[in-house]
Amino acid sequence: MTMRILFPAAALALLAGTAQADFALTLLHTNDVHARLEPISKYDSDCPEEDNLAGACFGGTARLATAIAAARAEGGPTLLLDAGDQFQGTLFYSYYKGKAVAEMVNRLGYDAMAVGNHEFDDGPEGLADFAARVTMPLLMANADLSAEPRLRDAILKSTVIEVAGERIGVIGLTPQGNPDLASPGPDIVFTDPVGAAQAEADRLTAEGIDKIVLLSHSGHETDKRIAAETTGIDVIVGGHSHTLLSNTDAAAAGPYPTMLGRTAIVQAYAYGRYLGRVDLVFDDAGGLVSAGGDPILLDASVAEDAEIKARIAELAKPLEEIRQNVVAETTAPIDGDRGSCRAGECAMGNLVAEAMLDRVRSQGIQVAIQNGGGLRASIDEGPVTMGEVLTVLPFRNTLSTFHVSGATLRAALEHGLGLAEEGAGRFPQVAGLRFIWAPGSEPGQRLRKVEVKEGTDWEPLDPDKSYGLVSNNYVRNGGDGYTMFLDAREVYDFGPDLADVTAEYLARNTPYAPEIDGRIAAE
């Protein structure tokens, strides 16, 4: 099923036979692919080839190529656009950085891409190298690059693409909060997306461009604000919030497209699971007459392009070496046993929570919470390989940072302890915090004492104070029943991969000495 929105005034014009110069354009789009070159599982993580052959996997560049080719084969004017964050999330990025991603976006023939925050994960130099490799323009209107010579001439605010004799203006946006989300360096100034989008839309309009698409790596709520507060933008292709807009999926955050005034907003989740497709019709004055479509689920019904599949398999060969790569040494086994980590303090929980907190402490984050059920194995004494780390943390979860009140933090801890006797995966492993609890007491009333580390001191948890937390994106989004985090403030769910963060922490602290220090104590 697809939905087509036909605007009343335009419909009358069509019925009257006055709009003879209508222009139909198909926009194909992706966002937040995060280096998922291979197919993914239903959990957005790695999907073994045997599962792929059994029809249990989604996405992957080879499947995406087939869907793009099928749309182009229909023969109508088509643009392929990306709303940012092609970087970060799999070993393809860890090993190749932007090189493999650049090769694949070139093969797919993207026409333009917005710069996402993760495109800055390896600093301006990493983005500059990517820009030099790709054949499409990279767009970022809300950034002053005048003091950053590596990017000043490599990134555009917008571009104009001619399709079937029509000129389409395409603008890009990146998150204003990039300095807190990635590593853009000190020389780039990021600005408000609304003002930047309007300024560039006005400039394009003054040049006679009457069809404008905004690639907005800003999040769905910001996209709605942009649509409400700007003029001249016909379509917003969103990213950053990993939002699924759809007319056929009951779990979607809204219809596809979501219309605000005469602006159509689309977004297609993340990780290459979908190819967004919106079919647009413009009148002879450049006005948007209709917009319809739906994201295309790239499941087993979409065949994989054989040539691209073979190339990705070739690129994957060195990754097995990474999985065997020794990242650190440990002086003793690191206990990640299910029975330990779902019932009390465990050494693996301490490692992962400390690694998370260490990564984001400079951002004003004080407390880390890791669900015990997210820890899937122990690590033996001696050399620690990346493969072992990935076995402990197989879900490709990302770091989430957010702020909640002390009362909410206490409620989260009570929730995590509520089914400890049943071995529930929600048991909280922590850092920057310590607590005493009473096993067997009434659920919701098990905490006896909670303290948060303030500098070198331990202070009682203040229910009225705001605390900065880090967890994984699964927990922050209500996984394991942590629904009290859904209304958190200053949320960012798409930080670096938790396995990478843990491996890097081990490497910095090798030889690593696992410990139990009493941060979780039972009375």
Side-chain angles (χ1 to χ4, degrees):
M1 171 186 173
T2 62
M3 176 179 289
R4 180 168 299 280
I5 298 171
L6 189 65
F7 304 114
L12 291 173
L14 286 171
L15 290 172
T18 60
Q20 300 301 315
D22 285 352
F23 173 64
L25 175 67
T26 294
L27 286 188
L28 306 175
H29 62 94
T30 55
N31 60 278
D32 301 280
V33 175
H34 288 296
R36 296 307 204 270
L37 306 188
E38 294 177 320
I40 59 172
S41 72
K42 63 181 179 179
Y43 302 107
D44 298 328
S45 60
D46 298 342
C47 200
E49 181 59 15
E50 56 267 29
D51 291 348
N52 192 36
L53 294 173
C57 301
F58 303 86
T61 307
R63 199 167 270 126
L64 181 60
T66 299
I68 292 168
R72 287 172 171 160
E74 295 175 14
T78 303
L79 284 180
L80 175 61
L81 306 172
D82 185 82
D85 273 6
Q86 282 280 347
F87 282 17
Q88 195 65 268
T90 70
L91 288 178
F92 285 100
Y93 184 77
S94 301
Y95 184 79
Y96 292 106
K97 297 304 179 183
K99 296 181 181 68
V101 172
E103 178 181 339
M104 290 300 138
V105 297
N106 286 343
R107 281 176 176 261
L108 294 174
Y110 279 89
D111 294 292
M113 173 183 163
V115 175
N117 50 290
H118 282 291
E119 271 71 70
F120 284 107
D121 279 358
D122 286 288
E125 61 273 21
L127 177 54
D129 181 78
F130 180 68
R133 293 175 183 276
V134 297
T135 56
M136 63 186 175
L138 299 178
L139 308 176
M140 184 169 61
N142 60 323
D144 181 355
L145 298 173
S146 58
E148 178 45 78
R150 290 166 292 189
L151 297 177
R152 190 165 49 218
D153 299 322
I155 310 296
L156 305 175
K157 292 180 180 294
S158 66
T159 191
V160 176
I161 304 172
E162 186 168 322
V163 186
E166 297 285 337
R167 294 193 300 164
I168 313 298
V170 184
I171 305 168
L173 292 176
T174 197
Q176 186 176 2
N178 267 338
D180 295 327
L181 302 176
S183 303
D187 299 323
I188 304 174
V189 177
F190 298 94
T191 60
D192 176 66
V194 174
Q198 186 65 72
E200 200 61 17
D202 289 346
R203 189 186 67 79
L204 290 169
T205 300
E207 294 180 2
I209 307 301
D210 57 12
K211 305 172 188 66
I212 296 177
V213 177
L214 175 66
L215 301 181
S216 174
H217 197 81
S218 307
H220 188 53
E221 292 305 313
T222 299
D223 291 345
K224 290 190 286 187
R225 181 165 69 91
I226 293 168
E229 297 178 14
T230 61
T231 58
I233 296 171
D234 298 295
V235 182
I236 299 176
V237 177
H240 191 53
S241 56
H242 297 207
T243 302
L244 176 62
L245 299 178
S246 173
N247 306 311
T248 57
D249 191 319
Y256 182 102
T258 294
M259 297 300 305
L260 263 74
R262 298 178 68 84
T263 301
I265 303 173
V266 295
Q267 194 173 155
Y269 183 56
Y271 308 123
R273 181 180 289 266
Y274 297 88
L275 172 64
R277 174 176 176 157
V278 59
D279 295 307
L280 308 169
V281 177
F282 297 89
D283 63 25
D284 57 355
L288 185 60
V289 174
S290 66
D294 216 46
I296 301 166
L297 178 63
L298 302 181
D299 59 12
S301 67
V302 181
E304 294 179 279
D305 179 278
E307 181 180 341
I308 290 181
K309 183 179 176 69
R311 175 57 179 152
I312 291 172
E314 183 180 354
L315 289 169
K317 287 178 182 177
L319 305 187
E320 186 56 35
E321 298 177 17
I322 288 183
R323 294 181 178 107
Q324 299 304 319
N325 183 49
V326 174
V327 297
E329 297 271 339
T330 178
T331 62
I334 308 174
D335 178 22
D337 184 75
R338 176 189 180 101
S340 302
C341 296
R342 300 184 183 209
E345 180 185 358
C346 72
M348 190 65 74
N350 288 353
L351 164 63
V352 174
E354 290 291 347
M356 288 195 292
L357 184 56
D358 184 72
R359 183 61 175 259
V360 297
R361 186 181 277 111
S362 64
Q363 299 175 22
I365 303 301
Q366 300 165 270
V367 174
I369 295 181
Q370 164 67 32
N371 56 320
L375 308 173
R376 311 301 289 190
S378 300
I379 292 177
D380 294 337
E381 179 181 353
V384 179
T385 67
M386 191 64 202
E388 288 180 292
V389 177
L390 290 167
T391 300
V392 173
L393 300 164
F395 301 115
R396 311 307 306 198
N397 291 133
T398 55
L399 260 62
S400 291
T401 53
F402 52 100
H403 287 75
V404 298
S405 68
T408 298
L409 176 52
R410 184 181 184 93
L413 294 172
E414 285 282 15
H415 169 77
L417 298 170
L419 293 177
E421 61 271 37
E422 298 180 18
R426 67 198 200 188
F427 192 95
Q429 300 294 324
V430 299
L433 177 147
R434 64 187 184 186
F435 63 84
I436 299 172
W437 69 298
S441 295
E442 188 72 20
Q445 301 177 30
R446 294 184 168 183
L447 283 172
R448 295 295 182 260
K449 184 178 183 180
V450 185
E451 295 177 314
V452 177
K453 197 165 190 178
E454 303 276 2
T456 58
D457 299 323
W458 290 94
E459 300 290 344
L461 181 70
D462 183 344
D464 298 320
K465 183 176 178 177
S466 177
Y467 293 92
L469 268 65
V470 61
S471 189
N472 60 67
N473 60 317
Y474 170 74
V475 166
R476 212 295 301 168
N477 282 281
D480 273 340
Y482 281 92
T483 55
M484 67 290 298
F485 290 154
L486 290 173
D487 295 324
R489 304 177 306 281
E490 301 175 58
V491 173
Y492 185 67
D493 287 332
F494 315 116
D497 183 276
L498 180 54
D500 290 340
V501 168
T502 302
E504 291 165 8
Y505 181 81
L506 283 167
R508 288 195 302 273
N509 292 278
T510 191
Y512 178 75
E515 65 175 357
I516 299 293
D517 58 17
R519 66 186 66 186
I520 299 174
E523 68 170 19

